[in-house]
Amino acid sequence: MIGLGAHLLVAMQLAVIANPPVSSLDAWLVSRFHGTQLLADSMPTTASVAAESPLPRIEGTRAGRTADTLYALHFGARLGTPALAVHAVVQLMGPTGTITPRSARVIARRAFRAPRRPGAPSHADAAWRYGWSYQLLIPHRATANGVAAVPVARYRGWLLLAVAPTVQTR
């Protein structure tokens, strides 16, 4: 007979297999903010149109063979203000404010709350701040020798701008 712990372990493994981008994003987020509480996202393919939703900032990167991974986040005044939707295409904005032609695609997002100070009581809402984290893929640029032209770590601190969907006219 299999114990409850074994069933829970199997369920967790199946959840990771079923949704690898979110589990990778969760691992990055939890390692970044000690005491983070992961929150459910009931509508991952929608973004907030609220003016108080700040631009996500790239806080982490990981180099890949054909595409690189970017990890971005932002904090908001309220929980319901995600800046980007899953599958959204974004452009990168450099430190000088220049919007580059480079684009990335959001593959996962996670709502969370992080303590403002270590040991924050979970019942005191003012001791916590709400945020959203995003995992994005940015394809390598083709070069003459097939090597990525720019190291992905260069994008740390850059901001992400959602690309407006194009409207086709007849």
Side-chain angles (χ1 to χ4, degrees):
M1 186 153 129
I2 299 176
L4 180 60
H7 283 294
L8 185 59
L9 180 60
V10 169
M12 288 172 56
Q13 289 171 339
L14 289 175
V16 169
I17 291 168
N19 206 351
V22 174
S23 63
S24 172
L25 179 59
D26 290 349
W28 175 81
L29 185 60
V30 170
S31 70
R32 181 146 177 88
F33 296 104
H34 183 68
T36 295
Q37 295 178 352
L38 304 176
L39 305 173
D41 186 356
S42 61
M43 299 181 357
T45 57
T46 61
S48 173
V49 293
E52 75 251 13
S53 188
L55 297 175
R57 178 182 154 135
I58 298 170
E59 297 288 339
T61 60
R62 187 175 66 213
R65 289 195 312 158
T66 59
D68 297 323
T69 303
L70 305 174
Y71 295 99
L73 59 85
H74 69 85
F75 289 97
R78 297 181 293 135
L79 175 61
T81 57
L84 305 171
V86 174
H87 305 300
V89 175
V90 299
Q91 283 186 290
L92 283 67
M93 185 167 70
T96 63
T98 304
I99 299 171
T100 68
R102 296 293 320 258
S103 63
R105 186 175 54 84
V106 178
I107 61 169
R109 83 174 181 196
R110 170 63 81 177
F112 68 96
R113 76 178 199 157
R116 292 185 187 274
R117 283 177 283 213
S122 62
H123 65 281
D125 201 42
W128 295 77
R129 57 187 176 161
Y130 290 97
W132 291 88
S133 61
Y134 306 90
Q135 184 176 4
L136 303 96
L137 286 181
I138 183 169
H140 289 170
R141 284 195 216 179
T143 61
N145 60 3
V147 178
V150 177
V152 71
R154 168 186 187 209
Y155 298 121
R156 281 195 170 151
W158 288 34
L159 300 176
L160 301 174
L161 295 170
V163 174
T166 58
V167 178
Q168 293 184 349
T169 58
R170 293 181 189 211

